[in-house]
Amino acid sequence: MDSRLPLSPGVRRFLLTSGAFAFVGAFLVDLSELAKAPDPFGTPGIWLPCLVTGPLSGLAVLETPWSPSLGKRITAVVTVSLALTVWGLSQPLGHTLLSGLELCGLLLLTVRTTTRRGKATTAAVYTLPLVIATLLLPLRVQQWPQLVAGAYLMTVVVTVAVSIGCTIRALESRKERTAREVRQAERLSLARDLHDLIAHHMTGIIVQANAALTIHAAAPAKVEPILRNIVDSGTETLEATRRLVRVLRENDHGTMRPGDLLTELAELVAAHSVACAGGDGTARLEATAAARTAHLAPEVEISVLRLVQEALTNVRRHAPGARTVVHLDAEPAWVRVTVTNTPSAHSAAKPIGGHGGYGLTGLRERVEALDGTLHTGPLPGGGWQVQAALPLAAPAAT
């Protein structure tokens, strides 16, 4: 498993660009210091940091398909750096050079390890050896004033490197966590859509099947059209379920909008009337001029569609034969949808399709998530009403 956080392109470009400039500048400085030495290649403590440990630290930062694991690279760089520091303590003054390229490599490796994916303790285990090797670099100078100044400077730069790494780790972790939460919320929304869709179509299938059972002896010629409707409804349910399941299986997907809202509402109302053809139940769609010209956010449109779908499904289940009116209206900032049905034409001992599940609960969650309101309840003269008010634009995420 990749141990790195999935850095965003902007962060990755920043690290690559700044690292490239730092490495090039540090290497040029090392070469100039090497050229100033009286006998550079006769003193290992001078040419080794410039030509061996420095380039080795730079190569350790690179991530290629042929690169060893990060742990092995850190071990190699820290071992070589500490060995050169310890060896330099036994050499005469001025026989050991502090390499800027080596320092850049250690610091960038420190930034990289602090952004490591997983537990913070694991990242700390990888970071600690690099911090120690960096803080011990001033020992190569062997002069007290330069040693004190170097120790102070190394403490500052190490602190900055660790802070940058921790900041990137926190930002990327929060971004990754937010992405997971958004995906989970979308999956829950699609799960509610899946419930609404299956409940709507299956209830229609059951209603039509019951109608066929009722009239097959008295009017056998009417059974075949009802069976064809059942086949069409089952096929549509299967195709829609497959689409939703395919979206649920994807990691990244956008908000789905099935089509024009008014057209879909008209289709829902027409399908409800067809499903209730065995009785006297009918449905009618009323949309004001303001509703026809209003511009709704996709989340609001699909919520209106699901609300009407669930309301019509409940009418068929709990009030078979009732007459239903779907009314859509819009104000400057709100869209209002009302589904009203008359009392049932005949009593049903048991709701068609069994008792209810999570339909209204899911609708209330969906509406309230959009800063809307939902009211359901019986009417004074009998019947039932579902009324919702939704903002024309979905609320901004906080």
Side-chain angles (χ1 to χ4, degrees):
M1 183 182 69
D2 190 1
S3 62
R4 295 170 297 161
L5 284 173
L7 299 180
S8 59
V11 174
R12 190 176 297 278
R13 283 194 299 270
F14 167 75
L15 292 177
L16 290 176
T17 303
S18 59
F21 276 107
F23 277 133
V24 172
F27 189 57
L28 293 177
V29 172
D30 285 351
L31 292 180
S32 65
E33 293 295 327
L34 182 65
K36 293 178 183 179
D39 186 17
F41 295 101
T43 307
I46 294 179
W47 64 267
L48 276 175
C50 295
L51 302 179
V52 178
T53 59
L56 178 63
S57 300
L59 292 175
V61 178
L62 298 178
E63 187 74 31
T64 66
W66 307 278
S67 300
S69 65
L70 183 60
K72 292 180 179 179
R73 282 177 280 161
I74 292 174
T75 302
V77 170
V78 170
T79 300
V80 172
S81 179
L82 290 177
L84 186 57
T85 299
V86 173
W87 179 81
L89 290 174
S90 62
Q91 299 302 308
L93 184 64
H95 281 64
T96 307
L97 183 66
L98 182 61
S99 171
L101 185 58
E102 180 182 355
L103 174 61
C104 287
L106 290 171
L107 292 176
L108 287 178
L109 281 174
T110 301
V111 173
R112 185 166 203 163
T113 54
T114 51
T115 61
R116 181 179 174 85
R117 185 199 302 267
K119 296 181 179 179
T121 53
T122 304
V125 168
Y126 278 81
T127 304
L128 184 59
L130 294 167
V131 171
I132 294 174
T134 305
L135 293 177
L136 294 180
L137 285 177
L139 293 177
R140 300 179 188 179
V141 180
Q142 299 184 20
Q143 288 183 330
W144 182 250
Q146 288 84 351
L147 179 60
V148 173
Y152 174 77
L153 177 62
M154 293 304 162
T155 302
V156 172
V157 295
V158 166
T159 302
V160 171
V162 172
S163 300
I164 291 175
C166 291
T167 301
I168 294 175
R169 177 187 177 91
L171 292 176
E172 295 297 325
S173 297
R174 185 173 64 180
K175 181 180 178 181
E176 189 178 40
R177 183 171 61 254
T178 302
R180 287 198 303 267
E181 292 173 353
V182 169
R183 287 195 294 267
Q184 179 65 14
E186 183 69 12
R187 282 181 169 85
L188 291 176
S189 175
L190 288 169
R192 289 194 293 267
D193 291 346
L194 187 62
H195 163 271
D196 297 343
L197 181 142
I198 292 178
H200 171 74
H201 288 291
M202 291 306 297
T203 301
I205 290 173
I206 294 173
V207 169
Q208 294 179 84
N210 287 335
L213 289 174
T214 302
I215 67 175
H216 80 283
K222 295 183 179 180
V223 174
E224 183 178 352
I226 294 177
L227 293 179
R228 292 185 182 278
N229 288 334
I230 291 175
V231 172
D232 293 339
S233 297
T235 302
E236 182 182 354
T237 303
L238 182 60
E239 292 177 353
T241 302
R242 284 174 176 170
R243 287 195 298 269
L244 283 175
V245 170
R246 183 173 65 251
V247 174
L248 283 169
R249 290 170 61 91
E250 296 175 357
N251 286 330
D252 299 303
H253 49 76
T255 302
M256 297 178 61
R257 269 295 298 123
D260 180 70
L261 176 62
L262 289 176
T263 301
E264 290 171 342
L265 288 178
E267 291 175 354
L268 279 178
V269 171
H272 175 82
S273 299
V274 171
C276 297
D280 56 358
T282 59
R284 183 174 77 253
L285 174 63
E286 299 176 351
T288 64
R292 296 179 182 277
T293 58
H295 295 284
L296 278 65
E299 297 88 345
V300 176
E301 288 192 9
I302 199 169
S303 295
V304 171
L305 183 68
R306 294 295 176 252
L307 186 143
V308 174
Q309 188 178 60
E310 179 67 21
L312 293 178
T313 299
N314 288 337
V315 170
R316 288 199 298 272
R317 294 176 66 246
H318 300 282
R323 293 186 298 276
T324 309
V325 176
V326 178
H327 183 77
L328 193 66
D329 193 10
E331 300 174 1
W334 296 87
V335 59
R336 300 186 184 275
V337 56
T338 305
V339 182
T340 307
N341 63 272
T342 62
S344 175
H346 51 84
S347 60
K350 180 180 179 182
I352 298 174
H355 291 284
Y358 300 97
L360 286 178
T361 301
L363 279 181
R364 189 172 301 278
E365 292 176 354
R366 181 191 290 271
V367 170
E368 291 178 353
L370 296 175
D371 291 346
T373 58
L374 176 68
H375 300 286
T376 61
L379 296 173
W384 193 267
Q385 184 178 73
V386 177
Q387 188 176 38
L390 292 161
L392 290 179
T398 57

